[in-house]
Amino acid sequence: ETGVTQTPRHLVMGMTNKKSLKCEQHLGHNAMYWYKQSAKKPLELMFVYSLEERVENNSVPSRFSPECPNSSHLFLHLHTLQPEDSALYLCASSQLRTGGLGTQYFGPGTRLTVL
Amino acid sequence: QQQVKQSPQSLIVQKGGISIINCAYENTAFDYFPWYQQFPGKGPALLIAIRPDVSEKKEGRFTISFNKSAKQFSLHIMDSQPGDSATYFCAARSGGSTLGRLYFGRGTQLTVWP
């Protein structure tokens, strides 16, 4: 596997379900991100982890709970979601260093549908 | 408030034509401007990027033009091909952020007719 992988690619869940999205990066990067992509809206940054520590949480509802057990893996735990949470959830990683560009590399995303 | 404004929302171009997508920003602290290309069912992929100390960057058929004083930058796709049909996002990075935080435009859906 190369780059950034995400599983599952598609997920349909009811409002009372609990599920988790998984992201794995094979690039040796030290930062990982969760984004939400909805139709006709800009990509919305949800969470940022740098060196496995959450450093940014953009007012995301508590029904989304991230977890970063190591620098290669990132999870997004979902519970009691709403239909408006249906979207494409993208994971990205980058190598952050002083003076560097920190280019972000994206995974293919998980298409989430909440019924 | 949207940090990066992108236009047009959709664009249809004949094969061989020039596709032009424009972006504007207000925050003068932005220090890096990437363009991402996204095909259906895929995540965005970095296409080309520029720093504000240069006015133009070219990679193959793709060129970024950057106007620092006007706070605008644009993507030009020369000799557009059907395989270029995708959604394009401009973005800008906050120079004060050590986290590489990117602000994205809303995207432009490009269709190139054969």
Side-chain angles (χ1 to χ4, degrees):
Chain A
E1 291 276 19
T2 59
V4 181
T5 58
Q6 290 186 244
T7 54
R9 294 294 309 278
H10 301 271
L11 178 62
V12 179
M13 59 187 289
M15 292 168 59
T16 58
N17 291 159
K18 289 185 180 181
K19 296 286 184 183
S20 296
L21 310 184
K22 179 183 175 182
C23 174
E24 184 172 359
Q25 60 97 359
H26 310 267
L27 301 169
H29 289 166
N30 60 10
M32 297 186 77
Y33 311 77
W34 278 118
Y35 285 89
K36 176 183 179 182
Q37 186 176 35
S38 306
K40 312 289 186 190
K41 293 177 71 175
L43 273 78
E44 300 172 60
L45 179 64
M46 300 175 71
F47 302 102
V48 182
Y49 275 82
S50 174
L51 297 172
E52 302 151 42
E53 200 173 317
R54 189 192 314 178
V55 293
E56 187 160 338
N57 174 347
N58 279 329
S59 303
V60 179
S62 59
R63 56 186 184 267
F64 294 91
S65 174
E67 178 190 2
C68 187
N70 55 61
S71 60
S72 298
H73 294 87
L74 185 65
F75 294 90
L76 188 62
H77 303 300
L78 317 171
H79 63 97
T80 59
L81 293 191
Q82 304 298 312
E84 60 264 29
D85 297 322
S86 298
L88 181 68
Y89 288 84
L90 291 161
C91 174
S93 71
S94 71
Q95 181 63 23
L96 298 179
R97 57 179 181 270
T98 304
L101 293 176
T103 298
Q104 293 183 23
Y105 295 84
F106 286 83
T110 294
R111 173 68 62 186
L112 173 67
T113 302
V114 182
L115 301 177
Chain B
Q1 183 187 0
Q2 194 177 343
Q3 298 267 6
V4 180
K5 296 181 180 179
Q6 182 173 348
S7 63
Q9 186 175 327
S10 62
L11 181 62
I12 300 174
V13 172
Q14 200 80 18
K15 179 182 174 183
I18 303 173
S19 304
I20 302 175
I21 304 171
N22 300 299
C23 286
Y25 64 97
E26 287 297 323
N27 189 344
T28 55
F30 287 151
D31 69 348
Y32 170 63
F33 301 86
W35 284 89
Y36 283 83
Q37 179 189 54
Q38 185 177 25
F39 293 104
K42 304 279 189 180
L46 179 68
L47 183 64
I48 187 173
I50 197 168
R51 301 196 91 153
D53 51 348
V54 299
S55 59
E56 186 175 282
K57 182 173 182 180
K58 185 176 181 179
E59 289 184 3
R61 296 184 294 109
F62 300 91
T63 300
I64 300 178
S65 296
F66 190 85
N67 186 329
K68 190 174 182 178
S69 60
K71 291 184 279 187
Q72 295 175 345
F73 58 110
S74 59
L75 175 69
H76 296 238
I77 306 174
M78 311 299 289
D79 187 26
S80 299
Q81 299 296 311
D84 297 329
S85 298
T87 301
Y88 293 81
F89 295 92
C90 62
R93 187 186 74 168
S94 174
S97 168
T98 57
L99 303 175
R101 196 192 199 292
L102 290 176
Y103 296 87
F104 286 86
R106 290 179 181 268
T108 296
Q109 189 164 351
L110 172 65
T111 302
V112 181
W113 289 102

